[in-house]
Amino acid sequence: MTLRRSARLSAVTTSVQPTIQAKKISRAQPRNGVTKARKPSTKGKQAKNVVLEQTLAEATLSTTAKADPAKQEPNNIFDPFRTDRSISRLHSTPPPLDRPVEPHRTNATLLTPRGSSLVAYPPGIEDASPSKTGRPRPTATTGTLLEKAVAHLIATDPRLEPVIKQHPCPLFSPEGLAEEVDPFRSLVVSIIGQQVSGAAAKSIRDKFVALFHSKDEENSGKQFPTPEEIIQCDIATLRTAGLSQRKAEYIHGLSQKFARGELSARMLLNASDEELVEKLTAVRGLGKWSVEMFACFALKRIDVFSTGDLGVQ
């Protein structure tokens, strides 16, 4: 009798346990058997647009990369491509070492939308009076700018010397200063790259450029659109490249300022650091951090210390 009773109890316990587990599972699931997906933890329409923008762009890029992985490019949100003229010159002749430069002015060679190049201190103007040029006299050359900056940092804090030697700075080397930069393209690309990964930014940028060219043209030969071309394009069309509503508006507004002459390569050459921040932060979509990064990495202004950067903080 004892054996039979224990056998019956064990059988009841075994049959009850799956029932309890089933009830727990059923509580976790909706009654109709359909599990609802959790909503992404984003706040507001802008965050949703950013998530959607990045997802679509990365999906497109992953398909392209599988087809041709050799076409992947390094991520640089300010000037991802050197011009053909810049590449040919850098490969054929050594970079100039005697071009006058000044830490508080633009040291890069800037390209205008029409293809001409400008520098802050053309040859022969280094001895001109600041009252005539509107700029301070240059204090270095492309061959000595980085050397002087490194010497100043080491003299200020000798502990920086091993760090500087371990991480050389190609940006302000003679080769880096010889690169030609299109400031309009750099600013547009920086807006495209806001809040998305480098891979997503590249995909959106390629589709953005393709809007202004025929499908038969190869990607490598497509020129970046001019400000005038962009303002002729409506916001809805710009968004088909994968841009959010806000980014399309930012790029359209930036293009209008360049087309009207409020912003230009010459202004970016002549403006002081303070004037540069004031002019560019007046553009929707460009905050102080974006302008400081543009000043350093695109315009090659050497006296930039972004206290708002998370890496610095």
Side-chain angles (χ1 to χ4, degrees), residues 185-237:
R185 181 183 67 181
S186 297
L187 288 170
V188 171
V189 170
S190 72
I191 292 175
I192 291 174
Q194 290 174 1
Q195 297 181 317
V196 298
S197 68
K202 178 189 179 302
S203 176
I204 297 170
R205 184 196 67 215
D206 289 346
K207 289 188 288 183
F208 174 79
V209 174
L211 291 176
F212 302 89
H213 297 273
S214 65
K215 295 181 179 180
D216 298 332
E217 294 181 70
E218 293 185 5
N219 227 20
S220 58
K222 293 177 180 177
Q223 296 294 323
F224 201 83
T226 63
E228 290 77 13
E229 289 174 328
I230 293 176
I231 61 177
Q232 291 175 3
C233 192
D234 57 35
I235 300 295
T237 302

Side-chain angles (χ1 to χ4, degrees), residues 164-195:
I164 292 172
K165 287 183 177 179
Q166 187 177 357
H167 302 282
C169 179
L171 187 67
F172 297 103
S173 67
E175 291 79 11
L177 295 174
E179 292 179 359
E180 294 176 322
V181 176
D182 180 345
F184 173 70
R185 181 183 67 181
S186 297
L187 288 170
V188 171
V189 170
S190 72
I191 292 175
I192 291 174
Q194 290 174 1
Q195 297 181 317

Side-chain angles (χ1 to χ4, degrees), residues 104-133:
H104 295 280
R105 288 298 185 272
T106 295
N107 296 311
T109 299
L110 300 187
L111 295 175
T112 68
R114 294 174 179 79
S116 59
S117 58
L118 301 172
V119 293
Y121 297 95
I125 201 176
E126 57 268 22
D127 295 327
S129 170
S131 60
K132 293 182 179 180
T133 63

